[in-house]
Amino acid sequence: MRAYGRRHRRWSRRNPQPLLLVPNEPLLVVGLAAIGRALFRYRSELAPITTGLALTAAGLALHRSHPGTWPVVAVLTAAAALAAGLRGLPWGLNRPDERAYAATTTAVVGGWLAAATALGPDRTPLPTLLVVATVALGVPWWAHRRRRSRVRVDRVIHAWPNLAEAIGLDGSRVMSAAVDTWGWRARMKLRPGQSVADVVARVPAIESALGTRPGAVRVEQDPVHAGRCTMRVLAVDPHAGSIPWPGPAARSLADPIELGVFEDATPVRVPLLRRHALIGGTTDSGKSGVLNVVLGNLAACADVVLWGIDLKGGMELRPWAPCLARLATTPDEATRLLSDAVAVLDARAHASGRDNTRVWEPTPDAPALVIVIDEYAELADTASAAVTYAESVARRGRAVAVDLLAATQRPTQKAMGGGALRSQMSVRVCLRVRERRDVDLILDNGMLAAGWHAHTLDAPGKFYVLADGHNQPRRARAYLVTDENVRETAARYIDQRPDLDPLSRAAIDHQPHALELPKVADDPELALLKALDEAPDDGLTIRELIDATGMRRTWIYDRLQALAATGRARQVARGRWRA
């Protein structure tokens, strides 16, 4: 009959006129077959009534043949109800409400069966109690969301051959399916010659065939079989609301950074040790939120020194200034900062070669250096020399723990130095993009065709991540870090921030810089006071004060402490001073 129905539907599409179906079987057989199909289709909804009829038959049989076995039935009922309530056996139930329902149902059914065995199912008031129990226990069964979801999934599985033929995936089949909190997932086997790319290309058609909302279907490649995949259908968007940040999870750069959660509630953990990272997305896509999550975790790491570049006047990174050893807000400052980073890199590489060590292991006494650049495209447009230094850090910095974290709206070939810097980014976070081609710009060529559809992300903070251990297009949402979270985290860890190791500081001190600060050669004390008086609101760094006075770092520190004690100088952020 099913094959006949398919032929009829195809015929109807080609010949849209009325058709009279005259079955070859007798009308009684056709009617019984229709009733049987209806009973099978609605077997889940009819389960309480079917159970009641089965209990009546079992009680009648036991009462006539073994009426004295009712104590055995009662004991088995008590044991089964206890197992269902405490362990969820034998159904493997995890939720307390489901266990309570299973235990109650087992106790009621078993108790009624024991009474029917001893007295007979027709003894008053057993029939009335059976009807009342069927209705009372049937209402939660009929209303249960997961049961109704399983029913829908079963119907999809049985209808999949027809659906697959309609959407161009004929020959594929559903191997198994499971219902979860947000929807359901199915393991699919494709016809020989089909690939996961064929399924990804037909995701809109699958959503239409299943009657879901747009963007509800996810497709993931089976890692061990090219002809199989996992299809997930989300009835409810698990990322519809924001997810509060639980606080920093990392205490060392060797610990993975927890950015947010995937749609199956598993955390997104990304390693950053000896890795450069790129965060890309259009305006209001949540780049600042992801940056704050990363900075909040790095601020808690005692083996990381943080430098920042924010050419929007420090608008994005200034709240983290207490935890930033340096913050550059102008192209000249950014160029100087990256030049110093290259000096640190060279010094560490030379020391590693001398000591015959291949990598620099970060410790609180010899910390890693992470340079955070907000809106890298702006840096590329205004400071070409800084881009040259950044590319040098990207190519050579990972082994000596000098890492880049760049955020940008659109990492074009021009902005990323012809792709030389972007190719070194082994961690890539792609938030919502405006154009489809931007997916390949941020992630890599071919990622859009492989199912990384970042242009369909519909809320700030939703993203895809491409990194070690994350090579499937799984949607995630970043934690929401509020301004209060930033202030509390920065205040909590300001006293735990490490200083650069002596080797790196010496490399920076010997860097030649062209200065624009006022100099009073005859009196370094006056030069220091003048520099502090004319310092911007965010203060001057120790390096800038050294350049202004021509004195050594220890002299600068001693004089600053003396001036601070008399109220003539103050530290506005870590390593930054003004009058």
Side-chain angles (χ1 to χ4, degrees):
M1 292 296 293
R2 185 176 295 173
Y4 182 83
R6 287 199 298 267
R7 291 195 299 271
H8 170 230
R9 286 192 293 272
R10 288 196 296 267
W11 193 94
S12 299
R13 287 193 294 267
R14 293 193 298 266
N15 305 278
Q17 65 248 23
L19 176 67
L20 179 63
L21 296 177
V22 182
N24 296 326
E25 296 85 357
L27 188 60
L28 178 61
V29 175
V30 174
L32 292 176
I35 293 173
R37 287 195 300 272
L39 292 175
F40 180 79
R41 177 178 177 85
Y42 296 102
R43 63 191 182 279
S44 179
E45 290 84 350
L46 296 173
I49 299 175
T50 305
T51 302
L53 295 176
L55 275 177
T56 302
L60 182 61
L62 289 175
H63 177 67
R64 288 183 176 179
S65 59
H66 302 87
T69 59
W70 68 268
V72 177
V73 176
V75 171
L76 293 177
T77 297
L82 191 63
L86 296 180
R87 303 297 297 274
L89 300 175
W91 302 280
L93 303 176
N94 296 322
R95 298 175 59 180
D97 55 345
E98 293 180 348
R99 289 185 177 183
Y101 176 79
T104 303
T105 302
T106 302
V108 170
V109 168
W112 190 94
L113 182 60
T117 301
L119 306 174
D122 56 347
R123 177 70 66 89
T124 306
L126 290 182
T128 304
L129 291 177
L130 180 62
V131 172
V132 172
T134 300
V135 174
L137 296 175
V139 170
W141 174 263
W142 291 319
H144 191 32
R145 180 187 60 81
R146 292 179 66 183
R147 182 204 65 82
R148 290 186 282 116
S149 298
R150 289 193 185 99
V151 171
R152 287 195 296 269
V153 172
D154 287 341
R155 292 172 183 171
V156 168
I157 292 175
H158 286 92
W160 181 257
N162 294 337
L163 297 176
E165 183 180 0
I167 63 180
L169 293 175
D170 49 307
S172 62
R173 61 186 180 91
V174 178
M175 301 172 61
S176 63
V179 177
D180 56 26
T181 304
W182 307 108
W184 56 277
R185 63 174 62 238
R187 293 179 63 245
M188 298 179 57
K189 183 175 182 179
L190 305 178
R191 188 190 64 196
Q194 291 178 341
S195 67
V196 177
D198 298 323
V199 183
V200 171
R202 289 169 174 79
V203 164
I206 295 174
E207 294 170 344
S208 175
L210 297 180
T212 67
R213 60 182 176 82
V217 173
R218 314 281 189 266
V219 178
E220 297 178 13
Q221 171 74 61
D222 189 318
V224 298
H225 198 297
R228 295 177 183 174
C229 65
T230 299
M231 180 178 69
R232 189 175 187 198
V233 181
L234 298 175
V236 180
D237 185 3
H239 291 159
S242 59
I243 306 172
W245 184 47
R251 292 298 181 268
S252 168
L253 190 58
D255 299 331
I257 303 296
E258 194 168 304
L259 298 180
V261 293
F262 289 114
E263 289 177 327
D264 58 1
T266 57
V268 184
R269 293 191 175 98
V270 176
L272 289 183
L273 176 61
R274 285 187 285 274
R275 290 171 175 87
H276 305 306
L278 173 64
I279 303 172
T282 189
T283 306
D284 296 328
S285 62
K287 293 193 305 300
S288 299
V290 176
L291 264 182
N292 284 334
V293 173
V294 176
L295 285 169
N297 280 273
L298 293 180
C301 297
D303 55 359
V304 178
V305 170
L306 292 172
W307 291 359
I309 297 176
D310 184 359
L311 297 188
K312 291 185 291 186
M315 182 175 63
E316 297 293 344
L317 298 184
R318 194 175 298 282
W320 291 104
C323 295
L324 298 177
R326 294 176 65 175
L327 176 60
T329 58
T330 66
D332 291 340
E333 292 176 351
T335 301
R336 183 181 303 171
L337 184 149
L338 289 169
S339 173
D340 289 344
V342 172
V344 171
L345 183 159
D346 290 335
R348 290 184 175 185
H350 179 74
S352 296
R354 182 188 63 230
D355 299 336
N356 198 25
T357 57
R358 298 187 59 186
V359 294
W360 182 280
E361 295 294 344
T363 65
D365 295 328
L369 174 59
V370 176
I371 305 165
V372 182
I373 306 176
D374 184 61
E375 196 47 64
Y376 184 85
E378 183 69 20
L379 179 68
D381 290 340
T382 58
S384 58
V387 173
T388 302
Y389 292 130
E391 291 180 358
S392 181
V393 172
R395 286 192 298 266
R396 303 186 293 130
R398 286 180 295 178
V400 293
V402 179
D403 300 326
L404 288 176
L405 172 60
T408 184
Q409 291 190 22
R410 193 179 183 212
T412 60
Q413 295 284 349
K414 177 183 177 182
M416 305 300 289
L421 186 142
R422 182 176 55 184
S423 64
Q424 303 295 329
M425 301 294 189
S426 54
V427 176
R428 304 190 184 191
V429 176
C430 184
L431 296 107
R432 185 178 69 247
V433 296
R434 195 173 303 277
E435 301 179 15
R436 296 167 63 95
R437 60 179 178 174
D438 291 346
V439 175
D440 289 346
L441 283 174
I442 296 174
L443 295 173
D444 206 352
N445 292 331
M447 289 302 177
L448 176 64
W452 302 71
H453 295 163
H455 60 286
T456 63
L457 299 176
D458 55 1
K462 290 187 177 183
F463 66 90
Y464 288 102
V465 59
L466 179 65
D468 292 344
H470 301 291
N471 53 8
Q472 294 285 345
R474 301 174 62 193
R475 295 192 184 194
R477 182 153 191 174
Y479 292 125
L480 175 63
V481 182
T482 64
D483 294 341
E484 183 64 25
N485 294 145
V486 174
R487 286 192 293 269
E488 291 178 355
T489 304
R492 183 187 312 157
Y493 295 106
I494 182 174
D495 295 331
Q496 303 178 26
R497 303 304 306 142
D499 292 322
L500 281 175
D501 55 288
L503 174 68
S504 301
R505 290 200 302 268
I508 296 174
D509 290 343
H510 289 87
Q511 273 282 94
H513 291 296
L515 299 175
E516 298 178 0
L517 295 172
K519 294 184 180 180
V520 182
D522 297 334
D523 191 342
E525 184 79 22
L526 292 178
L528 178 63
L529 293 175
K530 185 174 180 62
L532 291 173
D533 288 336
E534 298 180 358
D537 293 339
D538 59 342
L540 293 175
T541 65
I542 301 299
R543 175 71 258 178
E544 291 168 333
L545 295 176
I546 291 174
D547 294 333
T549 60
M551 303 300 291
R552 297 180 61 84
R553 182 181 295 270
T554 54
W555 186 89
I556 297 292
Y557 276 123
D558 291 340
R559 296 308 303 147
L560 287 176
Q561 294 300 325
L563 292 173
T566 59
R568 300 183 64 187
R570 64 187 179 93
Q571 187 176 15
V572 296
R574 181 176 176 82
R576 304 189 72 91
W577 294 78
R578 62 165 301 174

